[in-house]
Amino acid sequence: MAPIPGSGLAKGLAVTLRTMTRKSHTAQYPDVQPDLPPRTRGVIGLFEENCTVCMLCARECPDWCIYIDSHKETLPATAPGGRERSRNVLDRFAIDFALCMYCGICIEVCPFDALFWSPEFEYAETDIHELTHERDKLREWMWTVPEPPALDPGAEEPKELAAARKTAEKLAAAEAAQADPAAEAARATGTGDVTPSAPGTGGPGQQPPAEGGTA
Amino acid sequence: MNDVLDVALRLLVVFAVFLVLPLVIGQTEHKVMAHMQGRLGPMYAGGFHGWAQLVADGVKFAQKEDVVPANADRRVFQLAPAIALLPYLLVLVAIPVGPGEGAVGEVVDAGIFFVLAVMGVGVLGSLMAGWASANKFSLLGGLRTAAQLLAYELPMLLAAASVAMAAGTVSLPGIVDAFEWWWLPWQITGALVFFVAGLAELQRPPFDMPVADSEIIFGAYTEYTGLRFALFLLAEYAGIVVLCGLTTVLFLGGWHGPFGAEGLGWVWTLLKTAVLAFVVIWLRVSYPRLREDQLQKLAWTTLVPLALAQIALTGVVKVVIQ
Amino acid sequence: MTLAAGHGFLSPTGVEIAFLLVGIVTLGAAVITVTTKQLVHAALWLVVALGGLAVEYLLLTAEFIAWVQVLIYVGSVVVLLLFGLMLTRAPIGRSPDADSGNRPAALAVAVAAAAALIWVVIDAFRATWIDLDGPAQGSTKVSGAILFRHWVLPFEALSVLLLAALVGAIVLSRRDREREGGN
């Protein structure tokens, strides 16, 4: 059972020779763009229409790399005799990518879906100050946020859709109780709104791609 | 006057070969090593698959500052690269590539001894560099170089002596002239010993303990920069050319080939040399570095006895034939 | 070798001039070897001296001897010397403490040895001249024939001496190891 002396040496040579005849794995990056997975953490985009200046992201950021300035505006009462409403207006939103460590906590904590990951990564600068992206630049990154991936075929329905369908079904049932002949048609339209293709555009990132499309 | 022109022309050709072939081997090493590791290697310099990478490297080396450490022995330090490089140029002069007077730089009567003697001098360059750098890693590298040289010079000599015995001459063209195909199996042990010992003398992986970068930085060459460092590198690749050429001439029959003996002999020599150079690169990629004690053990307990056995075999066969 | 008929000292040939110049360089390197205060430089100057000797052999058409000189002395002995120096002490710069008080004695021995050698050589060869134009008298073939025909006894004696040294070295190193194993 003892191996032939020198067979190990021969095996070593064989391995390298075999590797030489195969295709190499080098990614020729500047010539060929990398094929990045959709959830790549490249840069953070700000969908500022959704931002309420709640400051959660800035507070949770481990690196303190998010800078937010805002002021309060008072809106006159909409109805006579109503109360005045106050509203936060965003003055500045900046992320210093020289400090950012791409943990993604800001995106996780944002309760209003205003922050998104984009796979863009070619934003190196010669001056470190230019790595602080201001709100307009962060807004620009939104155009590059990809559509969220479709749910798994067997996945649970998104909650919003489930709730909507429940109401629709209830409504349909109520209608069916009133008029039997119309029941079938009503149910068909009710379920048609929640066909499995719908969840694809559901989810947290629903609005940005709808507005911006894919870059 | 014609003689002078002839000699000058020969030396010029040898010099051109000396400058070009090491670069070719270096580039081949870049590419072969890369592909053996699943990479592409240099791709940009020169446009087509990075063919001009070594030219670019040379330009870079030439631009670098030539630093001599403050505590170094200036003159020895500066002289060392030349000592390391020149012997290989001299050896190349004596290696015949084809039959006849026209295909060798200069016919040397005691060719084998000339070649081995001058190659041994080249290692003095590493020793000088190691000592003169005033750096403990360099000194360690120099020590290891010396120890390795002492160990591997002997088997190399013995293997060469065996083939000289077989041919009954010590001149390199004479040996190739006397070559018959059945020398290949007859001298195979000697060929292996010669090749392995030569690799060790060149400090090529897996025998690169003297320059083991993971423990003594770069051995004797640690303190070198710029052109002088480039000269050491050139010496290494010129050494590969010389070793492969010598192995071809001594053991593989030089310009003898299955066909095309007339006029195409030099192609055979170059082809065999190229294949051997590929093997040198291949070994570098495949094997890990030998430890210092393994190095010494291999030389003294394996190669020397093998070489002696080869000499005995050569002697016996030689007597039987006569 | 022929007698010096037709050879004069006043009309030297190119080879003779080269021989003389290389001889001077060799002598100079040898003197520096023993007088320099830097240990490793001494070893490197020794390389120059031995190399010069090899060139002298070459000029005398003794090609084989020349290459063996380079192979053995420059390639191995000097490397061994440098190896020893590096292992023990090889400071960069002068090492005055390496100077012993034996200079006069060493000088005396050197002069005596040189005188003896010169006397022997002159007495042995007188004014014989090597014919450089004829067939090489120091080629491998000639050297081999002389060595194994006329001088085979000294050759064998030397071999036995070297073998004895080799065996002695092996015995010494093995005894050391056994002692270590015993303890």
Side-chain angles (χ1 to χ4, degrees):
Chain A
M1 205 46 209
I4 310 159
S7 64
L9 296 177
K11 209 178 281 174
L13 289 175
V15 166
T16 43
L17 197 65
R18 211 180 309 129
T19 312
M20 192 179 76
T21 56
R22 290 193 183 148
K23 206 169 157 3
S24 56
H25 309 292
T26 308
Q28 290 178 282
Y29 155 59
D31 299 329
V32 181
Q33 283 297 322
D35 188 17
L36 294 172
R39 284 162 77 174
T40 303
R41 299 180 172 198
V43 70
I44 296 170
L46 169 70
F47 188 56
E48 66 176 73
E49 289 84 344
N50 272 4
C51 180
T52 61
V53 203
C54 65
M55 305 290 278
L56 274 179
C57 50
R59 265 191 286 169
E60 292 297 328
C61 178
D63 289 342
W64 295 92
C65 69
I66 302 181
Y67 311 113
I68 301 179
D69 288 341
S70 70
H71 68 273
K72 265 199 166 79
E73 250 177 24
T74 314
L75 298 177
T78 41
R83 227 165 21 127
E84 285 184 337
R85 302 264 173 176
S86 67
R87 185 169 77 91
N88 285 322
V89 179
L90 190 64
D91 292 330
R92 178 185 185 219
F93 193 108
I95 300 179
D96 187 351
F97 284 105
L99 290 179
C100 177
M101 62 180 191
Y102 301 90
C103 62
I105 290 178
C106 51
I107 294 160
E108 295 297 325
V109 298
C110 181
F112 299 102
D113 287 339
L115 292 170
F116 294 92
W117 277 121
S118 155
E120 288 297 315
F121 59 94
E122 292 172 309
Y123 51 94
E125 302 284 355
T126 46
D127 186 352
I128 197 171
H129 299 298
E130 291 175 18
L131 276 174
T132 305
H133 292 187
E134 295 295 337
R135 65 193 277 190
D136 45 347
K137 193 153 186 192
L138 292 173
R139 184 64 184 79
E140 285 299 309
W141 289 127
M142 271 323 287
W143 305 117
T144 65
V145 174
E147 202 175 324
L151 291 181
D152 287 342
E156 200 183 318
E157 216 172 14
K159 281 201 181 95
E160 304 91 334
L161 295 186
R165 198 180 51 174
K166 230 179 214 168
T167 2
E169 273 172 1
K170 252 184 206 162
L171 203 69
E175 275 174 14
Q178 286 179 355
D180 262 341
E184 289 306 314
R187 184 163 296 153
T189 52
T191 50
D193 285 340
V194 285
T195 43
S197 69
T201 51
Q206 183 178 17
Q207 282 155 323
E211 290 189 7
T214 46
Chain B
M1 197 58 215
N2 226 359
D3 273 0
V4 176
L5 196 70
D6 185 50
V7 168
L9 205 65
R10 276 160 192 253
L11 292 186
L12 207 67
V13 169
V14 169
F15 192 63
V17 167
F18 178 70
L19 286 185
V20 171
L21 277 194
L23 291 189
V24 171
I25 289 186
Q27 183 67 20
T28 316
E29 176 164 40
H30 269 322
K31 288 311 238 183
V32 167
M33 193 154 89
H35 281 280
M36 281 184 169
Q37 295 167 344
R39 302 181 286 119
L40 284 172
M43 288 299 282
Y44 285 96
F48 179 74
H49 284 260
W51 66 270
Q53 183 61 47
L54 287 176
V55 179
D57 282 349
V59 172
K60 179 195 73 177
F61 278 131
Q63 289 170 340
K64 282 191 173 178
E65 186 187 357
D66 185 23
V67 182
V68 180
N71 286 333
D73 190 307
R74 267 197 104 75
R75 262 183 308 162
V76 177
F77 184 85
Q78 291 175 333
L79 199 62
I83 302 278
L85 186 59
L86 279 184
Y88 293 118
L89 178 59
L90 287 179
V91 170
L92 217 53
V93 168
I95 295 181
V97 290
E101 285 277 301
V104 55
E106 180 66 47
V107 180
V108 183
D109 175 37
I112 284 196
F113 285 94
F114 167 74
V115 160
L116 293 177
V118 175
M119 269 179 88
V121 173
V123 185
L124 270 183
S126 298
L127 291 185
M128 286 165 66
W131 172 75
S133 297
N135 176 320
K136 58 183 105 135
F137 296 112
S138 299
L139 191 65
L140 275 176
L143 269 178
R144 290 183 179 183
T145 307
Q148 194 157 318
L149 182 75
L150 288 175
Y152 283 89
E153 185 89 347
L154 186 61
M156 200 171 174
L157 257 178
L158 290 176
S162 152
V163 86
M165 273 169 68
T169 170
V170 286
S171 116
L172 291 176
I175 288 174
V176 190
D177 271 333
F179 183 83
E180 306 277 351
W181 68 266
W182 49 267
W183 283 26
L184 220 51
W186 182 24
Q187 299 289 344
I188 183 73
T189 318
L192 288 177
V193 168
F194 185 85
F195 194 63
V196 169
L199 275 184
E201 204 152 305
L202 294 179
Q203 302 166 12
R204 287 285 302 177
F207 305 103
D208 59 338
M209 203 64 189
V211 293
D213 50 0
S214 48
E215 40 189 283
I216 52 172
I217 308 180
F218 208 55
Y221 319 128
T222 303
E223 294 285 359
Y224 281 87
T225 56
L227 264 187
R228 289 182 203 282
F229 182 72
L231 288 186
F232 273 122
L233 281 189
L234 188 60
E236 179 175 342
Y237 288 96
I240 296 176
V241 175
V242 165
L243 172 71
C244 296
L246 269 185
T247 313
T248 302
V249 166
L250 291 180
F251 296 97
L252 301 184
W255 57 76
H256 295 287
F259 49 84
E262 295 304 313
L264 284 177
W266 58 275
V267 175
W268 280 110
T269 310
L270 285 185
L271 197 69
K272 290 170 187 174
T273 308
V275 169
L276 282 177
F278 175 79
V279 172
V280 171
I281 299 167
W282 192 8
L283 290 174
R284 170 181 180 173
V285 182
S286 302
Y287 295 145
R289 182 182 302 136
L290 261 71
R291 224 169 39 220
E292 192 63 36
D293 60 321
Q294 293 170 331
L295 269 176
Q296 297 290 330
K297 200 172 173 197
L298 178 69
W300 294 111
T301 65
T302 311
L303 293 187
V304 171
L306 276 181
L308 287 174
Q310 172 68 61
I311 284 192
L313 178 72
T314 307
V316 168
V317 171
K318 192 82 181 159
V319 168
V320 166
I321 288 175
Q322 281 170 354
Chain C
M1 287 175 212
T2 54
L3 277 176
H7 292 285
F9 288 104
L10 291 177
S11 56
T13 61
V15 176
E16 284 164 11
I17 294 175
F19 186 84
L20 202 67
L21 289 180
V22 174
I24 291 171
V25 170
T26 309
L27 183 68
V31 169
I32 297 177
T33 303
V34 291
T35 53
T36 181
K37 292 260 196 286
Q38 305 193 24
L39 280 177
V40 176
H41 279 199
L44 295 177
W45 279 112
L46 185 63
V47 173
V48 177
L50 294 170
L53 264 188
V55 175
E56 299 279 50
Y57 286 134
L58 263 188
L59 290 175
L60 295 177
T61 70
E63 210 177 282
F64 177 72
I65 311 283
W67 300 135
V68 171
Q69 162 92 6
V70 174
L71 187 65
I72 303 296
Y73 283 96
V74 179
S76 303
V77 171
V78 170
V79 170
L80 195 62
L81 205 67
L82 281 174
F83 185 61
L85 275 180
M86 286 183 185
L87 261 188
T88 49
R89 51 190 311 182
I92 285 178
R94 292 154 175 274
S95 39
D97 54 325
D99 228 358
S100 77
N102 296 336
R103 275 193 171 231
L107 188 66
V109 170
V111 167
L117 278 176
I118 289 173
W119 179 60
V120 166
V121 167
I122 288 181
D123 188 54
F125 297 104
R126 302 262 166 203
T128 47
W129 221 268
I130 295 179
D131 181 18
L132 293 178
D133 300 327
Q137 299 183 6
S139 69
T140 318
K141 200 165 193 159
V142 179
S143 307
I146 293 177
L147 195 60
F148 289 101
R149 294 231 171 94
H150 300 281
W151 301 100
V152 76
L153 200 63
F155 179 83
E156 290 299 331
L158 266 181
S159 317
V160 172
L161 181 71
L162 287 178
L163 187 66
L166 196 66
V167 171
I170 292 174
V171 167
L172 282 177
S173 59
R174 281 193 69 85
R175 193 185 290 156
D176 273 359
R177 190 187 298 166
E178 271 163 22
R179 200 181 298 146
E180 274 168 27
N183 294 342

